[in-house]
Amino acid sequence: MIYRQLIMIFNKTENQEREYLKQVIELLKSIIDNTDVSVKEHVDTLAEYKDYLWSNKDIDPHEIRSMRESILNHFASGKNVISKRKQLSKILDIPYFGRIDFREKSEASKVLPAYIGIHSFYDFTNKINLIYDWRAPISSMFYNQELGEASYITPVGEIQGDILLKRQYRIRNGKMEFMIESSLTVHDDILQKELSSNADDKMKNIVATIQREQNRIIRNEDAQTLIIQGVAGSGKTSIALHRIAYLLYRFKANLSSKDMLIISPNKVFADYISNVLPELGEETIPEISIEQILSDILNNKYKYQNFFEQVTELLGKPALDFIERIQYKASFDFISQFDRYILHIENTYFKAKDVKLTNYITIPAVFIEEQFRRFNRYPMRRRFEPMTDYILEMAQTQYHITVRAAERNILKKEIRNMFAGNNDIQVYKDFFEWIDKPELFKMRKNRTLEYADLAPLAYLHMALEGNNTQNHVKHLLIDEMQDYSPIQYKVLHKLYSCRKTVLGDASQSVNPYGSSTASMIQKVLVRGEVIKLCKSYRSTYEITAFSQQIRTNEELEPVARHGEQPQILRFKNEGEELLGIVGLISKFKKSNHKSIGIICKTESQAKDIAENLKSYNNNIYFLSSQSFAFVQGIVITSAHMAKGLEFDEVIIPQANDRNYYSEIDRSMLYVAVTRAMHRLTLTYSGKLSNLCQSSKTQRYYLNTTKTASSDLNIASS
């Protein structure tokens, strides 16, 4: 009864709130203790059943069936209890983060205090909902509305009323650090506190700081395809995952984690985001790469260059014809011509011939041609089977003959051979001859396809063989949307007819020759709704301003969280630059920061620097394209692999004009810079890259002779 009393007096003061928190935690612990007892009872009962079965070999079959049902029921009940205990244990640390007092528009209506947390918590003894899940309908008001008139949508309709009070709490380890009275959605002090915290080894949930514009995306139930164009640091991936958690909660009767699929850029990123859904009480959803999808369509028959290898080649000294091939295959003109070519295949690639069925019966070519057209509802290569059956049915009816299986197979084979489109590679190669541009298709050594050819070949295969639509997937999440070309989206649209959430940032493309903007994606996914996220939360104002000098985005709005100015450090040569990086690592280790990313333009550069740095420090982790997990600490990697990750500090080595000079280099530099949360340093020897020349920041010349084992002694030049 004490919990009911505490709620009824509305916990007006901070001391009352602290006392209430203690009571909630005590109740949680009590229920957890009870679940421990319940789990033990289930385990003991199952052990008794097991002993009984082993001790009694001649049990009646009816009794065995009865016991089997009892065992299964106990096992299921035990699993539910364990699941409940796991959820309750999670919310002990942070039971809730917000509260609203809401009164419905009714004379008899009482004020309802609603505490909001990651998970709901219902006190069955007193029949009180002590904590509401952040996804519950009533919780939407915490994110969307201010004091005064407010409403929320429930399955039975709109509930109108007034918000009389709004509070936010910072609770850690079951202790309230502070409480804030707020009329706003998420108070700036809470947001700043969260943004100032250090990076973790996994992406964190953001339920306590979801902003109004983010909440609209998370709770959008209407869009068939939601395309989120978010600037660097806008939290778009986290928002998309929270959207998935919301949809799983909202449509739990018809949607489960196994019904969803994430197209992820790499295994490291998949590992980095793997914590979010479990934190929110949902199972991790399956993930796959675009290369896996395309190769599976082609029955895994071909060797191919993957996306990472394509980017690596572009970061070197790529041949102009290689760039031209990528650009053409990422154009809408290519798709238009390719679709016309598929129609051309339909009209010209089937050349019917007379077929001698028996010594006395010949099937005329004109009749076979008619059947190819007649079965046009089938994909071209799928017509041979029904054509054969129909032709034989007509022949048997007209001539009163019996056709053996061997004769049927011969006829089917002859009909298939009348079609000149049975070899994917040959048909694809024919296309470039057809448009009089044979130079736009080039097979690499060992008959390896270029990455840009993988999607078109899959698209062609689907046109000839059928779509093989993946109906088991009910929601598709596509991250790093800018790195996929229009033809890749055409394939995905044909393969997955479900709802989609697509997200990315056009400014962060690591392949400017084959990327897509939100408007291009909307053109392919015709029912797509574009929503922009313009506020950047990750980096300090100073780091964001620096990134804007490299690549300006007029729509970006930095959060006013200030910190150190980024530094550009110049060294006499590469050897001294390496010693300078050693000094920066030493400084990092003495700070309270948890992660530092040394981000190079290419993986080979990262590997070389990692090997050189290990002679000074063994605790360096080289994150490569073959890595499977993200780790905290000192990480060295390429800009490509760093996409989607964040670090407390970032060092960008070799920021000279020999290394960073082209447009794709600008993209890599922008990605690297925008990974930094609190501190950013660029190092170079020789001449500073022109991409940094306009940057208004601190530049230094360093003498690093004595800095290998001590902090940097910076002398302004």
Side-chain angles (χ1 to χ4, degrees):
M1 186 60 70
I2 190 168
Y3 309 107
R4 183 186 298 276
Q5 291 170 348
L6 281 169
I7 289 178
M8 292 309 292
I9 62 171
F10 303 123
N11 301 325
K12 292 181 180 179
T13 67
E14 185 167 335
N15 284 337
Q16 287 174 330
E17 287 282 17
R18 291 181 187 277
E19 183 61 29
Y20 176 68
L21 175 63
K22 287 179 185 176
Q23 297 289 339
V24 170
I25 289 175
E26 284 176 15
L27 182 58
L28 278 165
K29 287 179 177 177
S30 172
I31 294 174
I32 289 170
D33 289 342
N34 289 337
T35 59
D36 287 342
V37 173
S38 179
V39 168
K40 187 177 185 305
E41 288 174 352
H42 283 295
V43 170
D44 290 345
T45 302
L46 289 171
E48 288 174 13
Y49 280 134
K50 181 181 175 183
D51 291 341
Y52 181 78
L53 288 169
W54 275 106
S55 303
N56 298 274
K57 301 297 183 183
D58 302 321
I59 306 176
D60 180 84
H62 294 291
E63 186 180 358
I64 291 176
R65 280 197 296 272
S66 177
M67 288 193 71
R68 184 183 294 123
E69 287 180 13
S70 296
I71 289 170
L72 290 173
N73 288 335
H74 271 283
F75 184 74
S77 298
K79 278 185 69 177
N80 288 336
V81 172
I82 291 169
S83 176
K84 180 184 176 183
R85 188 197 187 286
K86 188 177 179 182
Q87 188 179 87
L88 292 174
S89 298
K90 281 183 178 179
I91 63 177
L92 269 177
D93 183 31
I94 308 174
Y96 47 83
F97 53 82
R99 166 186 167 182
I100 55 172
D101 286 3
F102 181 72
R103 182 169 58 202
E104 290 185 33
K105 284 197 180 302
S106 166
E107 289 184 10
S109 179
K110 295 181 179 180
V111 176
L112 171 67
Y115 286 83
I116 299 162
I118 292 180
H119 302 296
S120 62
F121 176 40
Y122 188 79
D123 178 5
F124 285 95
T125 304
N126 294 305
K127 295 182 171 53
I128 298 173
N129 203 348
L130 295 178
I131 303 171
Y132 287 86
D133 192 296
W134 67 278
R135 298 166 290 185
I138 193 170
S139 303
S140 65
M141 293 189 292
F142 176 77
Y143 298 111
N144 289 346
Q145 303 186 28
E146 300 174 6
L147 294 180
E149 289 189 4
S151 65
Y152 64 99
I153 305 296
T154 72
V156 297
E158 185 178 21
I159 307 295
Q160 295 185 334
D162 294 285
I163 296 176
L164 305 177
L165 178 140
K166 198 168 195 179
R167 281 180 181 163
Q168 291 168 252
Y169 314 93
R170 182 174 170 85
I171 300 170
R172 292 294 181 273
N173 300 317
K175 305 289 184 183
M176 187 182 295
E177 295 181 2
F178 59 82
M179 176 188 93
I180 293 175
E181 301 279 348
S182 176
S183 63
L184 305 173
T185 50
V186 174
H187 198 281
D188 191 55
D189 287 350
I190 295 279
L191 181 61
Q192 290 288 350
K193 186 78 173 175
E194 294 299 328
L195 295 177
S196 298
S197 62
N198 293 322
D200 284 335
D201 60 342
K202 293 281 194 294
M203 183 179 281
K204 298 176 287 188
N205 78 73
I206 59 167
V207 292
T209 58
I210 292 170
Q211 304 294 289
R212 185 178 294 175
E213 70 276 11
Q214 296 173 333
N215 193 51
R216 279 197 291 268
I217 293 171
I218 290 168
R219 294 175 186 261
N220 186 313
E221 299 175 17
D222 301 322
Q224 177 68 19
T225 296
L226 201 59
I227 302 168
I228 307 166
Q229 162 55 44
V231 300
S234 59
K236 50 191 172 292
T237 301
S238 185
I239 292 162
L241 291 170
H242 284 68
R243 170 169 165 74
I244 293 298
Y246 172 78
L247 294 173
L248 288 169
Y249 174 89
R250 175 69 178 82
F251 302 105
K252 63 182 73 174
N254 302 308
L255 193 65
S256 68
S257 297
K258 69 177 185 299
D259 299 325
M260 296 183 159
L261 183 66
I262 296 179
I263 297 181
S264 178
N266 54 63
K267 294 292 183 185
V268 171
F269 183 73
D271 173 69
Y272 181 65
I273 67 174
S274 64
N275 210 43
V276 176
L277 287 171
E279 273 189 7
L280 298 174
E282 303 296 345
E283 293 180 16
T284 301
I285 64 178
E287 59 87 21
I288 195 171
S289 70
I290 189 72
E291 289 106 324
Q292 284 176 272
I293 291 171
L294 298 174
S295 185
D296 285 348
I297 292 170
L298 296 167
N299 302 314
N300 300 302
K301 283 173 61 177
Y302 307 103
K303 295 178 184 176
Y304 58 87
Q305 176 190 51
N306 63 34
F307 181 57
F308 185 85
E309 290 165 342
Q310 184 198 70
V311 172
T312 300
E313 186 170 343
L314 289 170
L315 286 170
K317 293 183 178 178
L320 291 177
D321 59 339
F322 179 52
I323 294 173
E324 184 185 359
R325 291 194 294 275
I326 294 171
Q327 286 177 322
Y328 174 66
K329 290 159 192 172
S331 69
F332 282 99
D333 181 53
F334 168 66
I335 294 173
S336 177
Q337 287 184 304
F338 208 42
D339 282 337
R340 287 199 296 273
Y341 174 66
I342 290 168
L343 185 60
H344 169 74
I345 295 171
E346 168 91 26
N347 292 330
T348 63
Y349 269 51
F350 189 79
K351 303 290 187 185
K353 299 176 183 176
D354 292 346
V355 176
K356 195 170 184 181
L357 189 60
T358 69
N359 290 334
Y360 308 103
I361 301 170
T362 298
I363 310 297
V366 65
F367 183 72
I368 296 173
E369 179 78 29
E370 283 175 6
Q371 304 323 306
F372 185 78
R373 306 299 164 203
R374 182 173 184 271
F375 285 93
N376 61 4
R377 66 186 182 279
Y378 290 86
M380 284 170 257
R381 290 182 189 159
R382 297 292 180 189
R383 298 180 195 177
F384 311 136
E385 191 89 30
M387 283 173 64
T388 302
D389 291 341
Y390 182 78
I391 290 168
L392 289 177
E393 184 183 334
M394 291 296 101
Q396 288 176 130
T397 301
Q398 185 171 349
Y399 300 109
H400 306 288
I401 60 171
T402 300
V403 179
R404 292 172 299 175
E407 293 168 330
R408 180 190 179 279
N409 291 336
I410 291 170
L411 176 61
K412 180 183 170 184
K413 183 178 179 181
E414 291 199 39
I415 290 174
R416 184 193 297 114
N417 290 338
M418 294 174 194
F419 184 61
N422 290 316
N423 183 298
D424 286 338
I425 293 290
Q426 186 57 54
V427 179
Y428 184 54
K429 190 176 179 181
D430 289 349
F431 164 72
F432 297 99
E433 297 285 351
W434 186 70
I435 62 170
D436 200 27
K437 292 182 179 178
E439 71 279 0
L440 289 177
F441 175 67
K442 181 179 180 181
M443 190 78 90
R444 298 298 185 93
K445 287 181 181 178
N446 300 319
R447 292 186 60 77
T448 301
L449 290 167
E450 290 184 343
Y451 175 75
D453 289 312
L454 196 59
L457 194 62
Y459 186 76
L460 176 65
H461 183 86
M462 290 169 73
L464 297 173
E465 291 277 359
N467 287 354
N468 193 25
T469 304
Q470 303 295 299
N471 292 319
H472 68 282
V473 177
K474 296 179 181 177
H475 198 104
L476 184 69
L477 178 64
I478 305 172
D479 205 350
E480 300 294 349
M481 67 180 191
Q482 69 280 357
D483 289 334
Y484 305 119
S485 65
I487 188 71
Q488 289 175 320
Y489 281 106
K490 290 283 283 187
V491 172
L492 292 175
H493 193 47
K494 284 178 176 291
L495 201 60
Y496 302 100
S497 57
C498 58
R499 291 179 180 269
K500 301 175 183 69
T501 299
V502 187
L503 59 139
D505 178 17
S507 296
Q508 294 185 66
S509 173
V510 294
N511 176 13
Y513 310 115
S515 60
S516 295
T517 62
S519 59
M520 291 168 71
I521 297 166
Q522 190 177 31
K523 189 175 177 181
V524 179
L525 310 179
V526 289
R527 295 174 64 189
E529 176 185 340
V530 176
I531 296 181
K532 293 184 178 181
L533 289 172
C534 299
K535 190 166 284 188
S536 179
Y537 299 96
R538 177 187 296 131
S539 306
T540 61
Y541 183 90
E542 289 74 16
I543 293 171
T544 301
F546 182 87
S547 70
Q548 286 285 80
Q549 296 292 330
I550 295 168
R551 169 160 283 162
T552 303
N553 184 342
E554 300 291 347
E555 295 182 327
L556 186 146
E557 302 170 27
V559 166
R561 178 173 67 87
H562 289 278
E564 301 175 20
Q565 281 286 352
Q567 295 184 343
I568 299 178
L569 307 181
R570 179 186 167 207
F571 299 87
K572 290 179 181 178
N573 52 52
E574 289 184 0
E576 293 209 354
E577 183 179 354
L578 185 73
L579 289 175
I581 293 170
V582 171
L584 290 167
I585 292 172
S586 176
K587 185 178 178 182
F588 156 75
K589 289 168 72 176
K590 293 177 182 178
S591 73
N592 63 352
H593 290 163
K594 294 180 179 177
S595 67
I596 184 168
I598 303 167
I599 305 178
C600 302
K601 188 178 90 168
T602 67
E603 185 168 297
S604 60
Q605 289 174 3
K607 186 177 181 181
D608 289 344
I609 292 177
E611 288 175 355
N612 290 327
L613 285 175
K614 281 182 179 177
S615 61
Y616 299 96
N617 192 315
N618 287 324
N619 297 320
I620 290 176
Y621 182 72
F622 172 47
L623 198 66
S624 76
S625 57
Q626 304 304 310
S627 299
F628 282 83
F630 178 74
V631 296
Q632 205 173 56
I634 306 166
V635 175
I636 182 161
T637 189
S638 65
H640 186 175
M641 288 301 298
K643 279 179 56 170
L645 308 179
E646 61 185 23
F647 303 89
D648 291 323
E649 300 182 28
V650 164
I651 300 170
I652 302 175
Q654 301 174 338
N656 56 59
D657 62 346
R658 299 186 310 279
N659 197 28
Y660 288 99
Y661 55 88
S662 67
E663 275 308 299
I664 192 169
D665 295 340
R666 184 188 300 278
S667 296
M668 293 297 177
L669 187 58
Y670 181 81
V671 168
V673 165
T674 54
R675 301 309 95 202
M677 296 173 64
H678 310 300
R679 182 179 292 159
L680 172 67
T681 308
L682 283 74
T683 67
Y684 76 103
S685 61
K687 185 180 177 184
L688 181 65
S689 167
N690 288 330
L691 303 178
C692 305
Q693 290 288 358
S694 61
S695 300
K696 297 174 183 177
T697 188
Q698 298 176 41
R699 298 182 192 172
Y700 298 94
Y701 177 83
L702 270 74
N703 181 345
T704 59
T705 307
K706 298 179 180 180
T707 58
S709 60
S710 62
D711 287 350
L712 289 173
N713 180 20
I714 299 177
S716 180
S717 61

